[in-house]
Amino acid sequence: MSNIDEFKKLYNFEFEEIKTNNFEEASEKYLATYKDGKEKGYTPVFLTVDEYLLKTFKITMTNENADSMIDLFNKNLEKAKSINLIEIFNKFLKQQTICKLFIEGDYKFDDSNKNNLKFLTIFNNEGNLKDNVILVKVPTTKPYEILAYFGMGSEDIATVKYWYEKYGAIPASITYDEMEFYVERPPQTLEETKKLAVEHYAFCYGLLWGCYDTLEEAASTIYKNVQWYFWWS
């Protein structure tokens, strides 16, 4: 049975298999589908359905004693409601000396145009589309619920809900160890960007040294940028 068929057994979602080898075509496809979803009541997301992602789903179901991934949806959403993110972020800031020094520092960030989406997670290092990439029409108008559907933890859901409400950050592409966001209202000030960079680090420890060498580099990348990238190394 193919990976796509395995996915169909887990989710009764409409989706389209992606065939392009062009970054620009992939971005245009996503944006057009996102616009369509706003009118029809769904939110699109690219999934790279490899054996690792399918294995992650199965491990999640086993750990949560769930019969299906859908069973976890309401459970994880309900847990997310009780999470105080501001308290979590403030505690993280106090515990991380590197973050405190960064917030207090004075930096100049890259102010170049960052309005173009270029999905990295669905292409390999040679620039070719990975196998089994699909664009899923997730049946929700609340993009943060995508994480609940795909078995991610309640704190992650609460974080992405907060970012969606504040920045219009939408999970746009998910693999077993990566995530990319399309951001409708990216941060426009240096102070806001510094705080957001620390939040990104709290969300994904792999952000430093896995994706960027410093918080300054991470912040410079997300400043006024319509795209965010995370990798859990």
Side-chain angles (χ1 to χ4, degrees), residues 15-205:
F15 66 85
E16 177 183 348
E17 293 187 51
I18 303 301
K19 299 298 183 183
T20 183
N21 269 323
N22 185 290
F23 286 96
E24 187 174 318
E25 284 182 7
S27 298
E28 290 175 352
K29 180 68 177 178
Y30 172 81
L31 291 172
T33 308
Y34 178 63
K35 181 180 179 181
D36 182 68
K38 279 192 168 184
E39 297 174 356
K40 297 179 180 177
Y42 69 85
T43 303
V45 62
F46 284 117
L47 286 186
T48 303
V49 188
D50 58 19
E51 60 184 294
Y52 302 107
L53 184 66
L54 293 171
K55 186 177 181 180
T56 299
F57 291 159
K58 291 174 182 177
I59 291 172
T60 300
M61 286 190 290
T62 299
N63 291 344
E64 296 292 333
N65 195 27
D67 293 328
S68 72
M69 292 298 292
I70 302 301
D71 288 344
L72 298 174
F73 175 74
N74 288 325
K75 178 182 177 181
N76 288 340
L77 275 183
E78 192 61 34
K79 282 184 179 179
K81 291 178 182 177
S82 62
I83 292 175
N84 186 331
L85 273 181
I86 302 302
E87 182 179 303
I88 290 174
F89 287 148
N90 287 338
K91 182 178 179 181
F92 182 81
L93 180 60
K94 290 178 181 178
Q95 291 175 339
Q96 300 287 329
T97 303
I98 187 175
C99 295
K100 291 168 62 178
L101 293 174
F102 171 69
I103 289 293
E104 294 166 359
D106 185 23
Y107 306 99
K108 183 177 180 180
F109 298 149
D110 176 13
D111 199 22
S112 61
N113 186 319
K114 302 169 189 168
N115 291 324
N116 295 319
L117 275 176
K118 184 178 181 181
F119 290 108
L120 304 175
T121 50
I122 62 175
F123 292 92
N124 61 26
N125 292 335
E126 287 72 43
N128 298 315
L129 188 75
K130 295 177 182 177
D131 293 333
N132 299 314
V133 174
I134 59 177
L135 186 58
V136 184
K137 296 179 178 180
V138 182
T140 180
T141 57
K142 301 173 181 177
Y144 55 87
E145 290 187 351
I146 288 173
L147 275 68
Y149 273 116
F150 296 123
M152 297 178 192
S154 53
E155 189 171 312
D156 292 337
I157 296 166
T159 301
V160 173
K161 180 177 185 290
Y162 170 73
W163 288 340
Y164 171 67
E165 292 171 347
K166 189 170 184 179
Y167 300 107
I170 299 136
S173 183
I174 296 173
T175 75
Y176 80 97
D177 65 350
E178 296 170 293
M179 193 181 307
E180 287 180 288
F181 287 76
Y182 167 52
V183 187
E184 295 184 304
R185 301 183 303 277
Q188 299 295 310
T189 69
L190 300 180
E191 289 306 311
E192 186 179 21
T193 304
K194 287 198 291 184
K195 291 178 182 177
L196 179 60
V198 172
E199 293 172 6
H200 278 203
Y201 182 34
F203 179 68
C204 174
Y205 286 178

